Amino acid sequence: MSDRYRDARLNFNLRKTMTPQQIADMYNDFADEYEEKHLGLGLRSHLRIGEYMADTYPQDQRATLRVLDVGAGTGLVGEMLSELGFVQIDALDPAQKMLDIAKTKNIYQRLICAFLNKDRIDEIETDQYDCITAAGAFNEGLIPVCAFHEMIRIVKPGGRIVFTITDKYIDVTDGYRNDLLPFIQKMADEGVWDVTAVPLADGAIHLLDGPGTLYSFKVNVTEKIL
Ligand SMILES: C[S@@+](CC[C@H](N)C(=O)[O-])C[C@H]1O[C@@H](n2cnc3c(N)ncnc32)[C@H](O)[C@@H]1O
């Protein structure tokens, strides 16, 4: 593994000059160690997503709902959802080696190796999912703001987009600093989605990080080209 990738795991500043493919390769490089190292350091985003999903979707509905876990990695969110009774769960991630580990858990129905960005993902039809989840996938070099258009396309009207973000990363991440919160507000103003923002305490997303927010957008439209 290159020193650059090793350093960029934890130093998000180093990711600013990396291409999306280099970011994916960084995750490929440490896929085998991901859970040990990151859970050891206190990664907890998947737990917050699991709690929200448990609070939001009644037990008797879960088996019928289609969920796409984006930035699925090795499948920590999938494991949470499976324990809660969700069964129709797909995974999307650009790092094939992370997905290879997720596959061994026999939780996800489809594992799609792709970036979520401004491009249309042809293998996913419009209005496919009741819910999109993303844990630990909103920081430097990962899911860009423009990817919300594709999420809006593939989520059903009335479906949700659920993700966590550490507040300080909004300010330090180039693609989010000036764009993320205004975009969320613009979509709300236009009626594209209804926003729920749940404040998360210091350490709730990652033991080493400060406070954050769990966002849940209830999408009202079938597809919007912006
Ligand atoms: C910190 S890991 C989180 C994995 C998992 N959700 C968890 O909670 O452990 C971030 C994941 O996002 C993926 N990723 C990076 N860029 C992405 C993109 N543009 N679209 C979707 N996933 C992306 C990475 O490959 C990596 O597996």
Side-chain angles (χ1 to χ4, degrees):
M1 180 192 309
S2 77
D3 290 344
R4 184 183 181 200
Y5 285 179
R6 186 179 298 114
D7 295 344
R9 287 182 191 181
L10 293 175
N11 184 343
F12 290 177
N13 267 331
L14 297 176
R15 300 183 185 182
K16 290 183 189 293
T17 54
M18 289 167 70
T19 64
Q21 187 56 54
Q22 286 172 329
I23 297 280
D25 287 341
M26 175 187 75
Y27 281 100
N28 278 324
D29 264 9
F30 80 113
D32 290 338
E33 299 176 283
Y34 174 81
E35 291 196 7
E36 184 196 335
K37 290 272 164 61
H38 276 247
L39 289 175
L41 282 173
L43 182 73
R44 307 167 82 188
S45 180
H46 58 293
L47 302 178
R48 305 291 84 82
I49 298 276
E51 287 163 1
Y52 179 82
M53 297 294 278
D55 289 346
T56 303
Y57 294 104
Q59 183 103 43
D60 62 354
Q61 292 178 13
R62 294 177 194 161
T64 62
L65 298 174
R66 290 199 68 198
V67 181
L68 178 67
D69 181 25
V70 301
T74 59
L76 296 177
V77 171
E79 286 180 87
M80 294 286 307
L81 297 180
S82 178
E83 283 167 22
L84 290 168
F86 292 88
V87 291
Q88 302 189 64
I89 318 166
D90 293 343
L92 182 144
D93 199 289
Q96 183 62 53
K97 289 190 177 159
M98 296 287 272
L99 287 179
D100 289 345
I101 293 172
K103 188 174 183 187
T104 64
K105 298 176 179 173
N106 293 321
I107 289 166
Y108 296 107
Q109 295 186 325
R110 290 177 77 195
L111 294 106
I112 303 163
C113 190
F115 291 94
L116 192 60
N117 55 29
K118 65 176 176 29
D119 298 330
R120 186 183 181 98
I121 300 169
D122 286 333
E123 57 207 295
I124 304 180
E125 289 177 17
T126 300
D127 296 344
Q128 282 297 296
Y129 291 102
D130 296 285
C131 187
I132 294 174
T133 57
F138 279 87
N139 56 51
E140 193 71 63
L142 303 186
I143 297 178
V145 173
C146 59
F148 282 112
H149 301 313
E150 182 64 354
M151 290 191 257
I152 290 167
R153 181 183 74 80
I154 63 183
V155 82
K156 295 175 186 174
R160 291 178 188 277
I161 301 166
V162 179
F163 66 99
T164 60
I165 186 163
T166 301
D167 293 341
K168 71 178 180 186
Y169 294 142
I170 297 177
D171 287 334
V172 300
T173 301
D174 289 344
Y176 299 159
R177 190 180 307 114
N178 299 318
D179 296 329
L180 179 62
L181 297 181
F183 181 82
I184 292 171
Q185 188 59 49
K186 180 169 180 275
M187 293 299 96
D189 291 345
E190 292 181 8
V192 172
W193 57 37
D194 301 327
V195 177
T196 302
V198 182
L200 298 174
D202 211 4
I205 295 177
H206 196 297
L207 278 179
L208 302 181
D209 280 343
T213 305
L214 181 146
Y215 284 102
S216 172
F217 305 151
K218 184 165 169 291
V219 176
N220 300 316
V221 296
T222 181
E223 182 168 13
K224 190 166 168 76
I225 307 298
L226 302 147

